[in-house]
């Protein structure tokens, strides 16, 4: 009797093994993706986030899931990365959603909108404020699944060939600027230009544009803007927390086993945190070097800030009248922003203000 029980149990164990083996194999298939970045390789922090992402995915799957990263222009130009996802040219891209406001201004909420959230608040909205659910519901129309993939923190206001002291000084100014901020400064008479990162320097050098914003000291120094425009303004009121995303083709995402989807999500989350940590670590030394090389730091005047905020509010109202997707996300986003600043006023602002004063005392 005992022998029969043992044989039966052993047989059941062998059967379970026979079932488990193919299931394991099916959960770790060989997958090869291509990822096109919107950025040049020279920008190791922002371009590097895609490399960090791909490396983690490979390591977590014993190299069964390989993602090959391509710089802007190697497959498609940087500002066409979302198109490559939409039409299935590549499976994945790393980009700034606000590059595609020409498709729909709603894309801007994936990166930053003028006088919006800072980077911590942005992540809070994405992960716990319903932001990614709202955005991915919108992105479905473009065959895109999106995951947050980095943040620059609050950006600088850009490089100017001449001083900008009043709102009137913006009139006629040709400026490279991304997202909805271009439409804001257009209300004040400026002429916005949408130019990819690698093309900004020659345009500024030749005088094709009068000013350009990019990211902040570390990247701006690499691109050499201080050599052709002396005035470095702050803050970048249009990018209080500029987020990058990994856009994934909907069909490619659906084909992944659930465990691979979880690995991709976790890798994107790490890249999201890692990018801003790198910027925060590297920007202080970079801004010192820029000032030592002759860059003239200038704050935007209160009059300019107020005029631009007023123009932003007007723009949001105008877009919301005719764009239900924009209005839906705008209303949720701004309500979240207002609550966040209630808390930040009590906590972060008072602490940071004290520490900045303490630093000045030596």
């Amino acid at each position: 009797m005992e022998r029969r029980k043992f044989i039966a149990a052993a047989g059941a164990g062998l059967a379970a093994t026979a079932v488990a083996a193919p299931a394991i194999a099916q959960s770790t298939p060989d997958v090869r993706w291509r990822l096109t970045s919107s950025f040049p390789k020279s920008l190791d922090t922002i371009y590097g986030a895609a490399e960090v992402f791909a490396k983690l995915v490979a390591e977590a799957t014993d190299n069964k899931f390989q993602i090959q990263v391509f710089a802007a222009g190697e497959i498609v130009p940087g500002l066409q990365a979302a198109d490559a996802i939409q039409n299935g040219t590549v499976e994945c891209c790393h980009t700034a959603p606000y590059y595609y406001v020409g498709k729909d201004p709603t894309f801007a909420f994936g990166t930053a909108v003028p006088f919006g959230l800072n980077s911590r608040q942005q992540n809070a909205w994405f992960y716990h404020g319903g932001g990614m659910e709202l955005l991915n519901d919108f992105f479905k129309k473009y065959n895109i699944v999106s995951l947050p993939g980095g943040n620059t923190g609050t950006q600088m206001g850009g490089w100017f060939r001449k001083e900008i002291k009043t709102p009137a000084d913006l009139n006629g100014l040709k400026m490279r600027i991304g997202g909805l901020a271009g439409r804001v400064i257009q209300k004040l008479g400026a002429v916005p230009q949408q130019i990819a990162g690698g093309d900004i320097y020659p345009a500024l050098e030749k005088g094709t544009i009068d000013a350009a914003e990019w990211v902040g000291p570390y990247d701006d120094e690499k691109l050499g803007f201080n050599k052709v425009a002396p005035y470095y303004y702050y803050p970048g009121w249009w990018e209080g927390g500029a987020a990058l995303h990994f856009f994934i083709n909907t069909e490619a995402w659906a084909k992944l086993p659930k465990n691979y989807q979880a690995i991709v999500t976790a890798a994107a989350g790490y890249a999201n945190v890692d990018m801003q940590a790198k910027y925060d670590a590297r920007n202080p030394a970079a801004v010192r070097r820029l000032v030592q090389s002759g860059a003239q730091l200038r704050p935007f005047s209160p009059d300019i800030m107020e005029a631009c905020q007023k123009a932003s509010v007007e723009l949001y109202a105008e877009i919301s009248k005719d764009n239900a997707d924009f209005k839906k996300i705008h209303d949720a986003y701004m309500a979240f922003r207002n609550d966040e600043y209630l808390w930040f006023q009590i906590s972060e602002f008072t602490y940071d203000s004290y520490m900045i004063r303490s630093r000045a005392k030596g």
Side-chain angles (χ1 to χ4, degrees):
M1 185 69 180
E2 292 302 318
R3 181 172 175 275
R4 286 198 298 272
K5 287 182 179 179
F6 173 79
I7 292 171
L14 289 171
T17 303
V19 170
I24 292 170
Q26 289 170 9
S27 68
T28 56
D30 288 322
V31 176
R32 299 289 181 271
W33 276 10
R34 296 191 302 167
L35 182 156
T36 184
S37 172
S38 284
F39 313 103
K41 290 181 181 179
S42 60
L43 299 177
D44 59 315
T45 303
I46 197 165
Y47 172 83
E51 294 182 312
V52 168
F53 168 71
K55 183 174 183 288
L56 289 172
V57 169
E59 289 178 350
T61 60
D62 291 327
N63 291 315
K64 287 186 172 292
F65 190 172
Q66 296 279 338
I67 301 174
Q68 187 175 3
V69 179
F70 295 87
E74 291 183 339
I75 297 178
V76 295
L79 300 182
Q80 294 178 23
D83 299 291
I85 300 304
Q86 191 175 352
N87 60 33
T89 300
V90 295
E91 293 82 9
C92 186
C93 79
H94 186 232
T95 192
Y98 74 175
Y99 287 162
Y100 312 104
V101 293
K103 293 177 181 290
D104 190 309
T106 310
F107 272 91
F109 291 105
T111 299
V113 296
F115 301 97
L117 299 165
N118 68 26
S119 59
R120 274 186 55 186
Q121 296 164 351
Q122 188 91 304
N123 278 329
W125 182 64
F126 285 156
Y127 292 125
H128 296 286
M132 286 316 303
E133 289 84 357
L134 286 168
L135 286 169
N136 273 316
D137 186 55
F138 167 71
F139 290 144
K140 284 178 185 176
K141 298 179 179 181
Y142 298 90
N143 206 26
I144 289 169
V145 173
S146 185
L147 296 168
N151 204 299
T152 66
T154 302
Q155 295 193 3
M156 290 292 285
W159 297 88
F160 292 73
R161 295 166 66 93
K162 63 178 183 178
E163 288 191 86
I164 305 296
K165 297 181 178 180
T166 71
D169 292 329
L170 293 171
N171 191 39
L173 185 88
K174 298 188 296 294
M175 182 175 184
R176 184 275 174 194
I177 192 165
L180 293 181
R183 293 177 63 177
V184 172
I185 65 169
Q186 198 170 23
K187 282 179 167 287
L188 300 173
V191 184
Q193 308 287 318
Q194 181 85 306
I195 303 173
D199 300 324
I200 298 173
Y201 182 94
L204 198 57
E205 182 182 35
K206 294 173 184 176
T208 307
I209 55 177
D210 306 305
E213 61 82 31
W214 180 239
V215 175
Y218 182 72
D219 281 352
D220 291 1
E221 181 186 32
K222 280 180 170 290
L223 294 176
F225 299 145
N226 56 305
K227 299 173 185 176
V228 289
Y231 300 104
Y232 199 20
Y233 276 85
Y234 63 89
W237 44 263
W238 50 91
E239 291 175 305
L244 286 296
H245 285 250
F246 293 102
F247 280 176
I248 301 169
N249 175 273
T250 302
E251 288 76 20
W253 176 255
K255 290 178 183 176
L256 290 180
K258 292 294 183 184
N259 61 323
Y260 276 18
Q261 290 183 351
I263 287 168
V264 168
T265 301
Y270 182 88
N272 188 39
V273 173
D274 185 63
M275 180 193 288
Q276 181 159 356
K278 285 177 179 171
Y279 275 122
D280 286 343
R282 296 172 182 178
N283 277 331
V287 77
R288 287 193 191 97
R289 291 192 298 268
L290 287 168
V291 171
Q292 289 167 359
S293 72
Q296 301 293 307
L297 288 175
R298 296 284 190 276
F300 285 124
S301 69
D303 285 347
I304 288 176
M305 294 289 285
E306 289 169 11
C308 290
Q309 185 171 27
K310 181 175 182 290
S312 299
V313 173
E314 292 174 357
L315 178 65
Y316 299 149
E318 291 165 7
I319 298 172
S320 293
K321 286 180 182 178
D322 302 315
N323 188 321
D325 289 326
F326 184 93
K327 186 179 189 308
K328 178 181 178 181
I329 297 181
H330 167 271
D331 291 353
Y333 178 99
M334 292 302 176
F336 191 86
R337 181 200 66 177
N338 293 341
D339 281 346
E340 285 293 285
Y341 273 108
L342 169 65
W343 166 237
F344 272 61
Q345 179 181 350
I346 297 169
S347 59
E348 304 294 325
F349 177 76
T350 52
Y351 179 75
D352 289 347
S353 296
Y354 177 80
M355 293 306 297
I356 289 167
R357 293 194 301 273
S358 295
R359 175 183 174 277
K361 294 176 183 176

